[in-house]
Amino acid sequence: MAHIRHDPTTTQKGKITYNTDIVSGIVAIAVNEVEGVSLLSTKNKGIKLNFDKQGVLADISVKVDGTSTVSSLAFKIQQSIKHNVESMTNYKVAKVDVHIQDVNFPENTAI
C-alpha cells in the first residue's frame, strides 16, 4: 500500500477529475443510506448527472416506502447526496432533483 502525504511547501500543480460512473456510484451509496428509499431498477440506475460551472446537477428517480413522509425522504436524499459527493470529491452539488416514481405500501394496509 502506498502512502502519499501532502506537502504544503511544494508548488506542484495538478488537476483531479472523476469519471461520471464514480460520481454515480457515490450518489447511489448516498441514496442507499436513506432508510425507506431505493433507486429505480433501470439501466441507468435512476441517476442522471450533469456537470456545469455551478457544480453537479443530479436527477434522481427513486422508490419509497409508503410508511414514510415523502417530502421528508426527498430532503434526506438531497442532503445525503450533497454531503457524500462534496466530501468524497472536489465537486460542489448545485442541485438535486428527486423524482418519486413509485411507492411501496405494506401488504396489510388498505388504501
Side-chain angles (χ1 to χ4, degrees), residues 22-109:
I22 298 296
V23 180
S24 290
I26 293 169
V27 169
I29 290 168
V31 171
N32 287 330
E33 287 178 354
V34 179
E35 189 174 332
V37 176
S38 61
L39 286 168
L40 287 183
S41 300
T42 61
K43 65 181 177 181
N44 66 359
K45 299 179 187 173
I47 301 171
K48 293 180 187 173
L49 299 176
N50 291 312
F51 299 85
D52 70 6
K53 292 179 184 176
Q54 286 100 22
V56 178
L57 308 171
D59 276 330
I60 311 302
S61 297
V62 296
K63 204 186 296 190
V64 298
D65 288 341
T67 59
S68 303
T69 306
V70 174
S71 60
S72 174
L73 287 177
F75 180 74
K76 288 177 184 177
I77 293 166
Q78 290 171 323
Q79 294 300 316
S80 182
I81 290 171
K82 181 174 175 56
H83 171 75
N84 283 355
V85 170
E86 290 181 356
S87 66
M88 293 182 185
T89 69
N90 291 333
Y91 296 132
K92 293 292 179 198
V93 175
K95 183 177 176 183
V96 177
D97 291 331
V98 178
H99 305 278
I100 309 297
Q101 299 292 334
D102 195 7
V103 178
N104 292 326
F105 291 102
E107 302 230 357
N108 58 356
T109 302

Side-chain angles (χ1 to χ4, degrees), residues 11-19 51 89-91:
T11 58
Q12 190 173 22
K13 302 276 182 190
K15 181 179 178 182
I16 298 173
T17 57
Y18 301 92
N19 183 310
F51 299 85
T89 69
N90 291 333
Y91 296 132

